[in-house]
Amino acid sequence: PPLAVGFLEPNFLLNPRVPAAVRESVAKAALGKGLNDAQISQALAPHAAASIIEIDDVVGTFCGFADGAANREFAERTKQMLTYKRTPFCMMEGSDNAPLFSQCCSPRKPGDKFFPCIHGFDDPDPLPACAAGR
């Protein structure tokens, strides 16, 4: 089943089609680190009437779900969505401005520039640990 996560591009409020009532109903929030879903919901509850909640910095905030079964399902699904392995392909990034006709994955001869290979994306980093007592 799809994950129902709603988000919009950062500048959507500049779109003239966004109703004024939405544009003017923005709450700003700062959250602690290492919070589970229930704690995040509780921390955001004072802003429930706002159309939009801008969260200052989310890195390191979400540590998982309070419900163990939901947490396991989330970990399984996100690993599935965020891990990607395939036949190696060339990347221009990291090529040190190699000419377009350069070899892929290794230099043609010592000293030649080449396009580095990528095999997909590694497993996502683990979630931060939940704060003590959470």
Side-chain angles (χ1 to χ4, degrees):
L3 296 175
V5 178
F7 68 94
L8 297 169
E9 64 277 3
N11 65 348
F12 81 97
L13 287 174
L14 301 175
N15 188 321
R17 294 178 297 185
V18 175
V22 172
R23 273 195 314 271
E24 295 165 3
S25 178
V26 178
K28 296 183 186 279
L31 298 173
K33 302 297 181 192
L35 304 176
N36 66 33
D37 64 314
Q39 294 161 325
I40 291 172
S41 293
Q42 182 180 10
L44 295 176
H47 309 294
S51 296
I52 298 161
I53 302 174
E54 289 182 11
I55 300 173
D56 181 44
D57 180 18
V58 296
V59 176
T61 296
F62 181 66
C63 68
F65 289 88
D67 176 69
N71 199 57
R72 284 187 295 282
E73 182 178 356
F74 174 79
E76 181 181 304
R77 284 192 186 192
T78 54
K79 183 174 181 177
Q80 217 172 22
M81 290 186 326
L82 300 174
T83 302
Y84 177 64
K85 301 287 184 205
R86 63 165 277 180
T87 304
F89 56 97
C90 291
M91 295 289 293
M92 291 191 76
E93 291 83 8
S95 69
D96 191 27
N97 295 319
L100 291 179
F101 56 84
S102 297
Q103 190 82 0
C104 187
C105 300
S106 61
R108 198 176 313 269
K109 62 183 189 304
D112 277 0
K113 292 184 178 183
F114 64 95
F115 294 111
C117 282
I118 188 167
H119 299 270
F121 306 101
D122 294 329
D123 292 346
D125 291 336
L127 293 174
C130 291
R134 299 183 196 247

